[in-house]
Each structure stands twice: as C-alpha cells, then as structure tokens.
Amino acid sequence: METTSSSLNVSSTSTDWRGVALSNFALSPFVLEDNLFASVEGFIQGIKFPEGDSLRAVAFCSSGQDAKNLASQADRSAVYWAGGRIAYGCADHHRLIGRAIRARIEQSIGLQKVLLSTDGLDLVHNTGPEPESPATSLPAVVFCGILTELREELKAR
C-alpha cells in the first residue's frame, strides 16, 4: 500500500518523501544512552550481535540495505543492550527499538515536523508484495504504533 488520501506508507520504498524520511532505513544519526548510531536500521541490526562483536559496530555505523544485510550473520535468539540479553521479538525488544525511534525523532526538529505533517493519516509499513516475515525484528503494526503514539505526543506539546 502506498500513500493514499488516508494513509502514508512509512518505508524506504514509499512514493511520499515523508514516508522515506521517517523510514528506519534513512541515514539519520541519533544518540541513545551516549551511543551514536547512523540509523535506526543500523541500531536494529547491531543489537542482534553481542557486545564486543565487530559486526555490531559495523551495523551501528550503517544505514539502509547495508545495515539490513548484516542480519543474515546474526543469531536471532536474542538482542544485546547495556550488558544484558533480551529475548528476540519480545515486548522488551520492541520497547528498546521504540526508544531508538523516539530518540531519533526527538533529536530532530525536522523529523518532528515531518511526523506532525502526517496528522490525519494512518501510518502503514509496506515494503512490497511479499508478506511480512514472522522473524522480523519490528512488526509493522508495532512500528506504526510507535510512530502514531509519538505523533500524538508531539501534537499535545
């Protein structure tokens, strides 16, 4: 589904620039707990590697498909953050990714304005004809829920 009069596809493949800008693939540096990341996608893929793994650092400095491609080398049983191990795909894992998405947008006035410009639109995440993988790090419904919640918070400020 692409942008319609009532929805916006938040994806690197979106035909609406706002969807591309809000995508996790976008090169959009942010800081989370004093750590610098090139993109949310780099964060998502990097936390799949244990702390100290060289591929973790590569992912954190990556964006787009380069970051996504690293996932094939990761063990998807857990993610690693702040010295801890979190079960892959659980609510805590999704909350951690949500914190990264929130940090990215809160640190950019431009992205805040982009997100606010989507008011009245349903945010969707559709990357093509293939169904979403059940092994995805961040299900579309969770991703869009995070953005929608953040948009409502920004509107209330």
Side-chain angles (χ1 to χ4, degrees):
M1 177 187 299
E2 278 304 312
T3 304
T4 68
S5 60
S6 63
S7 69
L8 172 72
N9 185 23
V10 179
S11 168
S12 63
T13 61
S14 181
T15 58
D16 187 309
W17 71 272
R18 297 172 300 173
V20 175
L22 292 169
S23 159
N24 291 336
F25 267 38
L27 175 60
S28 182
F30 67 96
V31 175
L32 180 64
E33 297 179 13
D34 293 325
N35 295 291
L36 178 64
F37 302 95
S39 68
V40 171
E41 189 65 27
F43 175 83
I44 289 170
Q45 301 311 329
I47 62 175
K48 293 176 183 175
F49 297 95
E51 293 172 271
D53 188 307
S54 63
L55 290 176
R56 181 181 177 94
V58 170
F60 287 167
C61 297
S62 302
S63 63
Q65 197 61 48
D66 289 340
K68 180 98 174 158
N69 289 343
L70 292 168
S72 65
Q73 300 174 61
D75 170 16
R76 290 182 183 228
S77 64
V79 297
Y80 305 88
W81 187 250
R85 183 180 188 277
I86 301 168
Y88 183 89
C90 74
D92 286 342
H93 177 204
H94 294 159
R95 277 191 287 276
L96 178 58
I97 295 171
R99 288 179 44 219
I101 293 168
R102 177 176 293 278
R104 172 188 177 230
I105 292 174
E106 287 180 344
Q107 293 168 27
S108 170
I109 293 170
L111 286 175
Q112 290 174 36
K113 290 186 181 287
V114 170
L115 186 56
L116 284 167
S117 78
T118 69
D119 190 27
L121 297 174
D122 290 326
L123 301 178
V124 299
H125 179 67
N126 188 320
T127 59
E130 297 297 319
E132 181 175 79
S133 168
T136 188
S137 295
L138 185 64
V141 66
V142 175
F143 174 48
C144 294
I146 292 165
L147 290 175
T148 301
E149 180 179 302
L150 185 51
R151 178 178 65 191
E152 292 305 308
E153 291 172 17
L154 290 171
K155 283 172 42 182
R157 289 184 186 172

